[in-house]
């Protein structure tokens, strides 16, 4: 643009005063045209750069939000696992209390066995049980069970991994097992507990 104005200055000095106004008018038009072109170019560059900045800002905002989301999900997952462990521990404590009432616990085990046999549709079973539950599986218990279900408890074996209840093997169908242990029942409630805790830990939406 400086070069254009130098040309204008040179033109004015070289021509007579009578042509001066005409030269000046043409020069001003030329200057105006160049100025408009420069202005358009500058505006175009500005809009382009502003768009780039906006895009960079949006990307950074998304990046930061993603980091926040990941951090929040990790923290939520940790809280849920801690609460699930607490709940399972509390349920085990309650089951231990139930076990202390021999009559109530014997009836629970009896009914669990009946459910298992009904599901298997068998007449001969092997029972895997918690080691401390061996005292419940007496001859009286076994005879009563046979009388009510027409199913014979032919074998029984303690299993340290079983907390309570039974895992039943169908002796009429080799290898067929039915898990009716407290362990499995506790495991089965974990997904719904996790889902409920996850729902409760969701951040509340702000109103208007």
């Amino acid at each position: 643009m400086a070069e254009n104005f130098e040309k204008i200055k040179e033109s004015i000095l070289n021509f007579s005063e009578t042509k001066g106004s005409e030269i000046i008018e043409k020069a001003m038009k030329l200057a105006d045209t160049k100025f408009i072109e420069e202005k358009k170019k500058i505006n175009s560059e500005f809009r382009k750069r502003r768009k780039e900045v906006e895009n960079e800002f949006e990307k950074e905002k998304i990046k930061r939000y993603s980091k926040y989301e990941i951090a929040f999900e990790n923290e939520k997952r940790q809280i849920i696992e801690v609460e699930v462990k607490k709940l399972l521990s509390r349920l085990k404590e309650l089951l231990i209390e139930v076990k202390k009432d021999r009559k109530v616990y014997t009836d629970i085990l009896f009914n669990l066995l009946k459910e298992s046999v009904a599901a298997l549709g068998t007449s001969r079973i092997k029972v895997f049980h918690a080691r401390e539950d061996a005292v419940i599986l007496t001859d009286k218990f076994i005879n009563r069970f046979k009388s009510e279900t027409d199913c014979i408890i032919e074998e029984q074996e303690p299993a340290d991994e079983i907390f309570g209840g039974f895992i039943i093997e169908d002796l009429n169908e080799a290898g067929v097992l039915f898990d009716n242990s407290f362990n499995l029942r506790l495991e089965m409630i974990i997904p719904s507990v996790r889902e409920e805790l996850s729902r409760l830990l969701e951040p509340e939406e702000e109103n208007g």
Side-chain angles (χ1 to χ4, degrees):
M1 187 174 288
E3 183 180 351
N4 292 333
F5 280 105
E6 284 298 320
K7 288 181 179 179
I8 293 170
K9 181 180 178 182
E10 184 178 349
S11 297
I12 293 171
L13 291 174
N14 291 338
F15 284 86
S16 62
E17 289 183 2
T18 55
K19 294 287 185 179
S21 60
E22 183 181 344
I23 296 296
I24 291 171
E25 187 178 349
K26 287 182 180 180
M28 290 302 296
K29 284 182 179 180
L30 178 63
D32 285 344
T33 300
K34 292 293 182 182
F35 175 76
I36 291 170
E37 289 175 357
E38 289 290 332
K39 183 178 178 182
K40 285 181 179 178
K41 183 178 178 182
I42 290 170
N43 285 342
S44 176
E45 288 294 327
F46 174 76
R47 283 193 295 270
K48 180 181 176 182
R49 181 56 189 153
R50 183 174 63 183
K51 188 67 177 176
E52 289 174 355
V53 170
E54 288 174 352
N55 289 340
E56 288 171 8
F57 176 76
E58 191 65 27
K59 286 178 183 177
E60 184 63 25
K61 187 170 70 173
I62 292 171
K63 185 178 177 182
R64 289 184 180 182
Y65 183 72
S66 297
K67 285 182 179 179
Y68 161 77
E69 268 195 329
I70 292 169
F72 174 74
E73 287 300 323
N74 287 338
E75 184 176 356
K76 184 170 76 171
R77 196 176 298 113
Q78 290 173 6
I79 292 172
I80 288 173
E81 290 311 308
V82 168
E83 292 304 316
V84 165
K85 286 180 181 178
K86 285 182 182 178
L87 177 63
L88 291 178
S89 178
R90 180 58 183 146
L91 288 173
K92 284 183 178 180
E93 289 174 4
L94 291 173
L95 289 173
I96 290 170
E97 290 299 313
V98 170
K99 281 185 169 189
K100 290 178 180 179
D101 189 326
R102 177 66 66 83
K103 184 179 183 305
V104 170
Y105 187 54
T106 299
D107 288 341
I108 290 172
L109 292 184
F110 192 86
N111 289 327
L112 286 176
L113 266 183
K114 286 178 72 173
E115 285 179 9
S116 305
V117 169
L120 290 170
T122 186
S123 60
R124 298 168 56 241
I125 60 173
K126 178 177 180 178
V127 176
F128 297 90
H129 56 79
R131 189 170 295 278
E132 63 271 19
D133 290 348
V135 295
I136 292 177
L137 295 172
T138 60
D139 289 342
K140 181 180 177 181
F141 182 99
I142 293 170
N143 290 333
R144 177 191 166 202
F145 186 76
K146 180 183 177 182
S147 173
E148 292 191 20
T149 64
D150 291 325
C151 179
I152 302 170
I153 302 174
E154 292 189 3
E155 300 177 46
Q156 53 173 297
E157 182 180 322
D160 291 332
E161 67 272 16
I162 297 177
F163 176 71
F166 302 106
I167 295 176
I168 311 301
E169 181 180 354
D170 185 350
L171 295 180
N172 289 334
E173 297 287 341
V176 175
L177 298 175
F178 186 85
D179 192 339
N180 212 353
S181 65
F182 290 171
N183 305 58
L184 180 62
R185 289 173 178 256
L186 290 175
E187 287 174 12
M188 287 173 65
I189 70 170
I190 290 175
S192 59
V193 170
R194 283 199 180 106
E195 185 178 339
E196 180 63 15
L197 287 172
S198 180
R199 186 184 67 78
L200 291 173
L201 289 172
E202 284 296 319
E204 295 182 3
E205 293 186 3
E206 294 183 2
N207 295 325

